[in-house]
Every structure is written in C-alpha cells, then in structure tokens.
C-alpha cells in the first residue's frame, strides 16, 4: 500500500493559488446570492435558456452554487468542492451549447471558471500536487 507524500508549495505559488481561488469564490458566491433573491435578470435569463422563469429553480441553483463554493473554499473539503463545481459548470456549458450561445463569451465561460478552480487549487494545495505531479 503506497502513501502520497504532500508536495511542498512555494509561497508565491500558494499566494497566486489563493488569489485565483478567491476570485472564483467571490464570483460564485455573488452568482449564488443573486439566484437566492432571485433577481429578475436571473429568472429572465433562465427563461431564455429554456429552463422557465421559476423562482424555486433559481433558489435551488443558488443553494447548490453556494454549498459547492463553500466546500471548495474550506481546505479539508476543497477537492470535493472542486469536483462538484466542475459538474455544475459542465451543466452550465451544456445549457449554453444547447441554445447556441456565443462560444467564447458565454459557452466557454464555465470552462474558464473551471480552469481557475483547478488551477488555484493546484497552486495552493500540496496534496493535489502530489496526486497529479507535472514532470519537468
């Protein structure tokens, strides 16, 4: 049985990872919060995407977004949070593909966020670096 030894993370990498993760966390908490209210722009956008203008669905998505983001922001559960956010963002990408949204601004926005989620986590978490080592 092998064990994974945590890789040391340099201070600049850790700071960069925390900043990247912080940007993602702030954005997703804001996104979840506006779905909890829900603001008219949220229900109108959901209706345009074919999901209907349901306040209940908007609130449910807001709760899911906030819970996954909080899991990501807490170090012991950050990898679980990143996995859940990846699934959530994948659903957003699929929704934009389905309605033919512009590729680089709307459809791939979930990919951009997902790269920041995993990139920030990789830079700040030695356990993830040990699990997925990049060779030089």
């Amino acid at each position: 049985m092998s064990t994974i030894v945590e890789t040391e993370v340099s201070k600049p990498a850790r700071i960069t990872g925390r900043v990247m993760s912080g940007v993602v966390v702030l954005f997703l908490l804001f996104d979840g919060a506006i779905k909890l209210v829900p603001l008219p722009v949220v229900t109108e956008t959901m209706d345009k995407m074919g999901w209907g203008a349901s306040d209940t669905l908007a609130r449910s998505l807001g709760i899911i977004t906030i819970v996954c983001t909080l899991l990501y922001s807490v170090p012991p559960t950050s990898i679980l949070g990143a996995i859940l956010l990846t699934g959530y963002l994948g659903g957003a990408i699929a929704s934009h593909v389905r309605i033919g949204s512009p590729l680089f601004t709307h459809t791939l926005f979930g990919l951009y966020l997902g790269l920041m989620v995993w990139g920030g986590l990789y830079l700040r978490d030695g356990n993830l670096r040990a699990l997925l080592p990049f060779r030089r």
Side-chain angles (χ1 to χ4, degrees):
M1 183 167 150
S2 64
T3 59
I4 296 176
V5 179
E6 183 174 345
T7 303
E8 188 65 31
V9 178
S10 69
K11 188 174 182 177
R14 185 178 295 115
I15 291 170
T16 303
R18 286 179 180 167
V19 169
M20 285 175 65
S21 296
V23 168
V24 171
V25 167
L26 289 175
F27 175 80
L28 289 174
L29 288 177
F30 173 76
D31 182 58
I34 66 171
K35 288 177 181 159
L36 287 179
V37 175
L39 294 176
V41 68
V42 172
T43 53
E44 290 168 9
T45 302
M46 287 176 51
D47 194 35
K48 289 177 188 174
M49 293 185 74
W51 295 109
S54 168
D55 288 354
T56 305
L57 179 59
R59 287 188 181 103
S60 298
L61 289 174
I63 291 168
I64 291 168
T65 304
I66 290 171
V67 168
C68 293
T69 302
L70 291 176
L71 286 170
Y72 173 70
S73 66
V74 178
T77 59
S78 59
I79 292 177
L80 173 62
I83 292 168
L84 294 173
L85 286 173
T86 301
Y88 181 80
L89 295 170
I93 292 169
S95 295
H96 282 288
V97 167
R98 186 176 60 82
I99 65 166
S101 293
L103 180 65
F104 294 104
T105 57
H106 292 70
T107 303
L108 293 180
F109 188 75
L111 175 67
Y112 306 147
L113 273 181
L115 289 173
M116 286 184 67
V117 164
W118 285 102
L121 186 56
Y122 187 83
L123 288 173
R124 68 183 166 96
D125 189 328
N127 291 323
L128 185 58
R129 284 180 173 223
L131 184 63
L132 302 170
F134 283 109
R135 307 228 185 248
R136 296 179 204 210

